[in-house]
Amino acid sequence: MTAFTTLTQLPDSQLENLKELGYHAMTPIQAAALPAILAGRDVRAQAKTGSGKTATFGLGVMQQMDARQYATQSLVLCPTRELADQVAKELRRLARFTANIKILTLCGGQPMGAQKGSLEHAPQIVVGTPGRILDHLQRETLKLDSLNMLVLDEADRMLEMGFRDDIDQIISYCPPQRQTLLFSATWPQDIVAVSERIQQDPLAVVADSQEQLPAIEQSFYEVSARQKLAALTGLLSLQQPSSCVVFCNTKRECDDIAADLELAQVSALALHGDLEQRERDSVLVRFANGSCRVLVATDVAARGLDIKSLALVVNYQLSFDPEVHIHRIGRTARAGEQGMAVSLVAPDEMVRAHALEDYLQQKLNWLPLSRLTSAAPRPLPADMATIILDGGRKAKIRPGDILGALTSDGGISGDEVGKIDLAATCAWVAVRQSRVRAVLKHLQQAKIKGKSCRARILK
């Protein structure tokens, strides 16, 4: 393991910040790519979610930043708003050691007028989705004349979603003399072609290999389509996971399975592409803060999902692509932790199971279905509930302001309050289920930063 202190280009203030954030030893992708990135070289890296890639390019972005220059110096392109929000959040953590760094997220599904207002004072760092970034460039509300760093995160996903032309147009607005970093979970020929076109002598780094899989305990069950729901509820009763993602191949299945699990007294929510952005944000926040135990999701919707400790991944159907299977189950073994993945395989999915076996070059671990179907039914309620407030970052509200309002005169102890997430115009507060009514009543009467905030429980 290589320590961050070996990176002599990083200032002491950033090293101290990394220490406070809990970053001590570099992950494989960081150790392989950071020296070249900090030296100003273009890098193309194959790395999956959870490998530490955001901090890898984030430290490069911070190294290139001149806080005294009020112009956009770094642009990070992401395939989805969820991933863009996660990247921006991580960049803000890495920027804590430097004052006056403005980081702005520009994604579709948000009001254009508010974004234009935020761009009147140019942010040093912009994170966004290709469509909305291109829109601002064409309207001349975003200017990249001073850009010195371009990052393409999950480039393979952006190409799959049809952003190739948008990316090409965005690059036409970028200065030719810049550093370009390209990160991709897979490495199809299309990505190689993009790299050759937009990068100069890039260092190629691969840090996503099957050697990382042994930390995941995989189990496979042969089960008819009619028995799958019973097998899933039996599995959840048996394991009682603190958090679980169930992958389905269609949006309708996500809704149906989440509804069936709720009827079985399992705390579950669906995540798929038909949800409005506000609904997607609500689902992701509630899952991350412990207000929901099971997330039933499609692959596209779950892309960029960043949950630090995911106890269990379930494949309700096997993916058609072995690489997607690896990406799915890799979410349950972050930072070297042990993970568990269970696949429910119908007879007509056996061709996919054989393809996966060939890809992994190992026998699949098949277990008897009776282990699941004989499990005694047990409910799986959420430990937390979420309260949403109508004040956020624009009102200059910070998590500490909300926590202080609850603990100072609300009769609420700090250990009864969980994660507090802030958006531009709202805040989500996780609270112990047993205390949610008391906290809601207090917030409806209290003032935060001298202002009354409407509050309600998310359901």
Side-chain angles (χ1 to χ4, degrees):
M1 304 292 280
T2 308
F4 280 98
T5 51
T6 62
L7 299 170
T8 56
Q9 301 98 320
L10 294 180
D12 291 342
S13 53
Q14 179 63 284
L15 291 172
E16 184 61 31
N17 182 43
L18 290 171
K19 184 178 178 182
E20 290 177 10
L21 293 174
Y23 288 107
H24 301 291
M26 288 187 270
T27 65
I29 185 64
Q30 290 163 353
L34 265 171
I37 290 174
L38 296 176
R41 186 174 175 184
D42 286 5
V43 170
R44 69 183 192 199
Q46 183 176 345
K48 67 180 180 179
T49 301
S51 62
K53 62 183 174 69
T54 305
T56 305
F57 64 73
L59 287 170
V61 166
M62 295 305 151
Q63 180 72 4
Q64 294 275 22
M65 194 59 49
D66 182 355
R68 298 166 298 180
Q69 184 182 5
Y70 297 102
T72 301
Q73 301 163 49
S74 292
L75 172 64
V76 183
L77 296 178
C78 303
T80 66
R81 177 182 172 184
E82 289 77 23
L83 182 60
D85 286 340
Q86 290 162 16
V87 167
K89 186 175 182 179
E90 179 67 9
L91 291 178
R92 289 188 180 99
R93 282 157 45 91
L94 294 174
R96 293 193 314 181
F97 79 102
T98 304
N100 301 319
I101 294 289
K102 181 178 180 182
I103 301 170
L104 183 63
T105 307
L106 298 176
C107 300
Q110 299 172 316
M112 179 66 77
Q115 292 180 351
K116 286 182 180 178
S118 296
L119 285 165
E120 287 178 3
H121 298 286
Q124 287 101 340
I125 303 169
V126 171
V127 184
T129 49
R132 183 53 62 93
I133 295 293
L134 181 58
D135 200 350
H136 280 292
L137 289 170
Q138 291 171 337
R139 293 169 185 255
E140 299 187 351
T141 47
L142 173 64
K143 297 184 184 300
L144 302 179
D145 301 341
S146 300
L147 192 80
N148 54 40
M149 171 82 79
L150 173 66
V151 181
L152 277 67
D153 191 13
E154 295 204 3
D156 54 343
R157 185 69 195 131
M158 286 193 281
L159 294 189
E160 288 173 17
M161 294 173 70
F163 285 132
R164 181 193 305 274
D165 292 342
D166 286 356
I167 291 170
D168 286 343
Q169 289 188 64
I170 290 168
I171 289 170
S172 72
Y173 286 88
C174 299
Q177 296 303 315
R178 64 173 190 275
Q179 186 177 9
T180 304
L181 308 179
L182 193 154
F183 289 79
S184 181
T186 59
W187 210 250
Q189 188 57 41
D190 284 355
I191 294 294
V192 176
V194 170
S195 171
E196 290 174 347
R197 194 167 69 251
I198 70 173
Q199 293 185 293
Q200 297 180 6
D201 187 29
L203 172 69
V205 175
V206 177
D208 187 13
S209 64
Q210 291 175 28
E211 281 71 28
Q212 294 170 301
L213 288 179
I216 302 172
E217 178 189 339
Q218 286 204 72
S219 302
F220 294 79
Y221 295 86
E222 184 174 357
V223 51
S224 71
R226 291 197 310 273
Q227 291 177 296
K228 278 197 177 184
L229 182 63
L232 176 60
T233 54
L235 172 67
L236 295 173
S237 294
L238 195 65
Q239 294 295 335
Q240 292 285 296
S242 57
S243 60
C244 170
V245 174
V246 177
F247 281 103
C248 299
N249 291 340
T250 71
K251 301 168 187 176
R252 181 174 179 177
E253 285 166 338
C254 286
D255 286 330
D256 290 347
I257 292 165
D260 288 336
L261 289 176
E262 282 288 338
L263 289 175
Q265 296 183 295
V266 174
S267 169
L269 292 170
L271 180 70
H272 54 70
D274 282 352
L275 298 182
E276 293 183 2
Q277 193 62 54
R278 184 179 61 234
E279 295 174 306
R280 293 166 65 85
D281 291 343
S282 170
V283 168
L284 288 168
V285 164
R286 290 161 70 186
F287 183 61
N289 70 17
S291 298
C292 163
R293 296 281 282 272
V294 179
L295 187 67
V296 188
T298 59
D299 290 302
V300 171
R303 191 75 181 214
L305 180 68
D306 186 20
I307 304 299
K308 296 297 184 210
S309 181
L310 186 59
L312 174 66
V313 167
V314 179
N315 295 300
Y316 198 79
Q317 294 101 8
L318 283 182
S319 169
F320 291 93
D321 183 347
E323 285 193 4
V324 173
H325 178 90
I326 301 304
H327 189 74
R328 284 179 176 183
I329 68 172
R331 299 170 186 278
T332 185
R334 300 295 177 87
E337 293 182 1
Q338 181 72 29
M340 178 180 291
V342 173
S343 299
L344 306 177
V345 186
D348 63 359
E349 297 175 74
M350 280 300 170
V351 172
R352 297 178 225 169
H354 296 322
L356 180 61
E357 196 167 60
D358 290 342
Y359 182 82
L360 294 174
Q361 296 183 336
Q362 63 186 46
K363 292 289 185 183
L364 303 185
N365 179 32
W366 293 95
L367 297 177
L369 182 61
S370 59
R371 184 168 177 266
L372 303 184
T373 53
S374 63
R378 294 172 63 193
L380 191 64
D383 296 325
M384 312 295 282
T386 298
I387 294 174
I388 185 169
L389 297 172
D390 69 352
R393 285 196 300 267
K394 282 192 174 180
K396 307 296 184 185
I397 291 175
R398 298 171 302 175
D401 299 322
I402 298 172
L403 186 61
L406 288 171
T407 56
S408 61
D409 57 358
I412 308 296
S413 65
D415 59 5
E416 293 172 328
V417 182
K419 193 175 179 185
I420 299 175
D421 291 280
L422 288 178
T425 59
C426 68
W428 296 278
V429 186
V431 183
R432 294 273 173 209
Q433 285 276 12
S434 60
R435 295 289 283 159
V436 65
R437 294 292 174 186
V439 172
L440 178 65
K441 183 178 180 181
H442 177 72
L443 286 174
Q444 288 171 335
Q445 299 170 348
K447 291 188 175 182
I448 299 174
K449 284 212 161 180
K451 297 179 182 178
S452 297
C453 295
R454 286 184 299 176
R456 59 184 174 85
I457 301 172
L458 273 180
K459 293 183 178 179

